[in-house]
Amino acid sequence: MILYDYFRSSAAYRVRIAIALKGLAVERRHVHLVRGEQRDLGYRAKNPLAIVPTLELDDGRLITQSLAIIDYLDALQPDPPLLPKDAVLAAQARAAALTIACEIHPLANLRVIEALQSSFGARDEQIAEWRRRWIAEGLHAVEALIAPAPFAFGATPSLADICLIPQVYNARRFDVPLNDCPRILVADAACSVHPAFVAARPEAQPNAE
Ligand SMILES: N[C@@H](CCC(=O)N[C@@H](CS)C(=O)NCC(=O)O)C(=O)O
């Protein structure tokens, strides 16, 4: 399997965490987003939205969307499970993950930021405010959704932590204060010493800059 990845992509970061948790061997190809490599025709043929991650299977079939890729990896290697056994907790963990993946992340994606700049003339300080606004609002919602013990939904990492930690990385990168999110900080502290989360960090990737 090949993962098309960018070291700082938070969606790809989710998949890297899942791969490490599952102990899977996956080849990696770096798609440099800032240089626009995601828009090369060869890559766009694999991922029509020109975004990372994409997973290419050994038989050439392709899976796009980080959460769909993680579902596939979970089906391939069910151990360790990525959701709590309890059906309500499992749905709540998925809801926290979807809050990040659907309600926060798309609003501050590179192509959205580029459109705000090129089509609407947004200035750097307006872009910074835009990013901080949606990350802060979304993470406050996540704070109310999780119940860390010490991971977001129990004693082992779940899909919620897999989505949360890359978003916390982005929050710190863009100076969003997290001091009023004590639950998120508990889950973050637990993940920060977990080997799978450590291995998946942007700065630990071979193409990190
Ligand atoms: N919903 C998608 C989001 C993927 C996504 O937006 N990836 C970003 C990096 S985190 C990207 O490739 N952006 C390239 C661009 O905006 O040009 C997923 O979960 O895979």
Side-chain angles (χ1 to χ4, degrees), residues 9-11 14 33 38 51-53 65-66 105 109-111:
S9 156
S10 51
R14 296 172 197 150
L33 298 187
Q38 70 276 28
I51 51 180
V52 295
Q65 290 294 335
S66 60
H105 180 268
N109 201 358
L110 182 60
R111 64 203 174 107

